[in-house]
């Protein structure tokens, strides 16, 4: 922890900044960002010219940002791999991709300065959640092209904490490490924290014998009920934080120990809430789609990026002393993206994979279920005369191929269930619904 500072605020000069001074800082940084993308990113230069927007002349107030068009996940996917980078590739020292099933991965880059900024922002959210230099942090997010593992890792190291990069899976080993290495902070998805609690119960491990104090959760929507269960079963304080790869990764927003919403790092991101259908800006307190603009990113700045996440902005002052506004817990999605085990899945892309196998797109439906605390993906595929066979062996082979191809594409292994066409759930217009979420029903049956 920085000497002489509030033990729960990492960067008080900025996190407790006067709101008027913050607005001026945001405007200066936004002007610099828009000038940079206008000069260096053909995508934005074309967009700005289409509406006759010249950053040097037309941005005089933060409200002018609303004149600009949105950036979407499809825009980023279509720019694959480097077309939206704002610096030469020689200045990019790290490349990540986002989870999901777009046609192309969404590729993001970081300069050396971006990585320093990222580490500092993650340090802020970890300190807000109670983490200090004396802690031992076990990071169960994946290490690789996704941003979660390395993003948390470098922020924790900046604080001075000891980091255990255990990555995903192997739950029994995770528990042994928690015991033997005296883990004080667990970083995981909320559902995986509960899976750990389930496995500890099965192994007869008393959570009271652990050193665990905090659980820092991210990666998927969760509820206050899940928070209470995590805290009651792991005897630790659980906090929420928010990140999205296209904007930064972890570190965009996070809860303080008041736990009344996630503070947005407003000196680095400008947040808006818009109506998902009309795109009109909604006032604070109204639920809509979160739109983010980066104002310090060098390699991969994004302007008015539609996250697809539904939440609301909370303007009420926080007793913690931070002046940054907060966003509520993520309440759902504005688009058709499905989040399972922290992976973003576009149902239509699953159909593309199935179609490539035999040259025919079968009727299908994705179904999310929950067994215990673990999410499962089931793909129900309708039996058709041309696609499936009378011979059981050949049919099983085709199902295995489907499972393997989809698993390679999305990163998790689904169940493939053959069903009759009429059993697929349809909407009010008679169309097959591509996604059914049965997780709440599964939890209610427990």
């Amino acid at each position: 922890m920085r000497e002489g500072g509030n033990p729960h605020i990492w960067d008080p000069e900025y996190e407790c900044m006067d709101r008027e001074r913050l607005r001026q800082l945001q405007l200066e940084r936004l002007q610099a960002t828009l000038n940079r993308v206008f000069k260096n990113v053909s995508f934005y230069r074309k967009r700005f010219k289409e509406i006759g927007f010249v950053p040097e002349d037309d941005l005089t107030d933060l409200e002018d940002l609303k004149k600009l068009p949105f950036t979407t996940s499809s825009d980023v996917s279509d720019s694959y791999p480097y077309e939206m980078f704002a610096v030469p590739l020689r200045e990019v020292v790290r490349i990540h991709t986002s989870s999901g099933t777009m046609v192309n991965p969404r590729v993001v880059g970081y300069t050396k300065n971006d990585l320093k900024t990222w580490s500092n922002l993650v340090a802020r959210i970890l300190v807000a959640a109670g983490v200090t230099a004396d802690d031992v942090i076990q990071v169960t997010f994946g290490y690789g092209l996704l941003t979660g593992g390395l993003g948390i890792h470098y922020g924790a190291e900046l604080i001075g904490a000891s980091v255990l990069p255990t990555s995903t899976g192997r739950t029994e080993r995770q528990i042994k490490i928690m015991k033997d290495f005296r883990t004080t902070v667990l970083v995981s998805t909320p559902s995986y924290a509960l899976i750990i609690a389930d496995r500890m119960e099965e192994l007869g491990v008393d959570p009271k014998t652990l050193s665990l104090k905090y659980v820092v959760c991210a990666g998927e929507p969760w509820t206050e009920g899940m928070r209470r269960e995590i805290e009651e079963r792991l005897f630790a304080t659980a906090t929420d934080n928010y990140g999205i790869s296209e904007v930064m990764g972890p570190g965009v927003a996070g809860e303080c120990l008041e736990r009344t919403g996630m503070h947005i790092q407003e000196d680095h991101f400008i947040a808006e809430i818009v109506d998902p259908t009309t795109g009109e800006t909604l006032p604070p307190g109204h639920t809509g789609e979160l739109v983010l603009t980066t104002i310090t990113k060098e390699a991969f700045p994004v302007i008015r990026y539609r996250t697809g996440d539904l939440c609301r902005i909370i303007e009420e002052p926080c007793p913690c002393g931070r002046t940054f506004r907060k966003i509520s817990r993520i309440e759902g999605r504005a688009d058709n993206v499905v989040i399972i085990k922290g992976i973003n899945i576009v149902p239509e892309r699953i159909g593309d994979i199935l179609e490539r196998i035999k040259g025919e797109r079968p009727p299908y439906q994705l179904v999310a279920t929950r067994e215990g605390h673990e999410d499962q993906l089931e793909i129900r595929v309708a039996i058709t005369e041309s696609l499936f066979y009378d011979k059981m062996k050949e049919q099983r082979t085709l199902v295995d191929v489907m499972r393997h191809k989809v698993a390679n594409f999305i990163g998790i292994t689904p169940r493939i269930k053959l069903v009759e066409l009429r059993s697929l759930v349809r909407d009010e217009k008679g169309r097959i619904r591509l996604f059914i979420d049965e997780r709440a029903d599964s939890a209610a049956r427990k």
Side-chain angles (χ1 to χ4, degrees), residues 105-129:
R106 284 158 285 172
V107 180
V108 294
Y110 301 79
T111 64
K112 285 183 179 180
N113 198 48
D114 286 335
L115 291 183
K116 289 170 70 174
T117 298
W118 190 13
S119 296
N120 193 58
L121 294 183
V122 172
R124 287 183 186 180
I125 66 152
L126 290 175
V127 168

Side-chain angles (χ1 to χ4, degrees), residues 13 37 40 88 95 110 138 169 193 252 276 313 358 383 385 412 439:
E13 178 185 356
V37 300
N40 298 328
I95 294 171
Y110 301 79
Q138 187 165 331
V252 175
I313 286 180
K358 295 295 288 184
I383 298 172
E385 289 184 9
I412 58 176
R439 285 175 287 194

